[in-house]
Amino acid sequence: MAYGIGAAAARLARLVKGEGGTPHRTRLALVLRLENVDTLRGGLGPQVMEQLLDQLTRRLVAEMRLLPQLRSPGSAEVLGLFAIGRQQAVPGLLARLQAICGRGVELPDLRICPVVNAVIVGDETGEADPAALYAHGRAALQGCDPLSPAGQLRFVEMPVPGAEPAPPSAPALTLDRIGLLFQPQICCDTGAVLGLRVLTRLRMDNAESRDLDEIEPRLDDETLSHVATHVLRQALDCLKGWDRMGAGVPRLTLPFSDRMLADPLLADSILWELDRHDLLPGRLEIELCEPIGRSGGRVPVTACLHRLAAAGCALALGEFGTGSAGLGDLRRFGVGRVRIGREFVADCDRRADQQRMILAILALAEHLRLATLADGVATQDEKAFLAQIGFAAVQGPAVAPPMPAAEVDDFLLEHGRSLPLAFDLRRRG
């Protein structure tokens, strides 16, 4: 039995390598990539993420006769050569791959359906090195539609030897797919609108919309730069419009990812747009959403933040208390405000453990002289409790839902008329 298994494995390896078969046997390779890796790893943890990839690889081996390459820890790619060496088998392989990816991955007490982009690379000559097949597949993945909600599975052929290969180009992300929502931030002392946080949504191919941070890992740097510039321009246009109607929005909070901040042209673009709109830099608050320099590089991100802070832009840190930035970074970059997320705010009016955690975070923020914003406030009781214990501002469904610019106009006017009424969120004894 052991000899039979070993002999079968040896024959499979020879077939994949093109040995012992007909000359110029077609080679087929797989390059599969999981998207939104940071989101998955953050939600599942590194260990479960590795289990997910291992389970997916085992299914590809069992159901598609894939001979996989050794995957390095932390990699989100699955690479391998197929034992089947016929171009006629490609439609069947794509259909089987679609079925495997569509079913998701079963883990203990968990079923995950990750977004997968994959390419089957064909080489009719059978002479291309596996590394060349994988490199061509990676280049072809750049042409996968980033707005396909379930990912894409494609077949590409290796270029004919001697011909100039045309690198696959990524599909253009048209700007009409980008929409902005605005989340009001309310002062706990006066009830006035302190600002609006900008949420960027991208319309998918199935007409649903997703947050930009979900789609960002699928976007190349050039496309992401265009998106950031477009969002900035549209947000400042809206702010200028509210100024003209006398709505009195003090500032906008605009989240920028680490990759966006690594763009050497971003700081110049922000300052130029502020000047073009005749807005003071302090009217824009840059929110940092992840550990500084983790994915964009410490040096370029630091240079961008220092430039913006020196010009007068405000800096804020999102998800404070979750280990997203060191305390040294708060001082080094001059962060002035922190946002405390829903995981700490939920049921804070009833749960003693939440209250102790929030009070500890508030004490740290007060010691560092940081303003505080409670995010995701879902009930009036939560809002009243947070105002009572000392939060500077709140935002969330209990305050106002995210809304398009046209609805913000009506909200600002109505909210302004309500301020003369008894509107004191602080309930002192």
Side-chain angles (χ1 to χ4, degrees), residues 291-346:
I292 299 171
R294 181 183 66 180
S295 57
R298 184 75 177 185
V299 173
V301 172
T302 298
C304 179
L305 291 177
H306 281 161
R307 175 84 190 281
L308 293 172
C313 292
L315 299 182
L317 179 67
E319 304 301 333
F320 185 64
T322 61
S324 57
L327 297 182
D329 286 338
L330 300 178
R331 182 179 63 255
R332 183 176 302 111
F333 297 107
V335 172
R337 186 165 73 154
V338 291
R339 176 169 58 86
I340 288 84
R342 177 66 186 167
E343 61 268 30
F344 296 115
V345 170

Side-chain angles (χ1 to χ4, degrees), residues 32 140 179 404:
L32 181 148

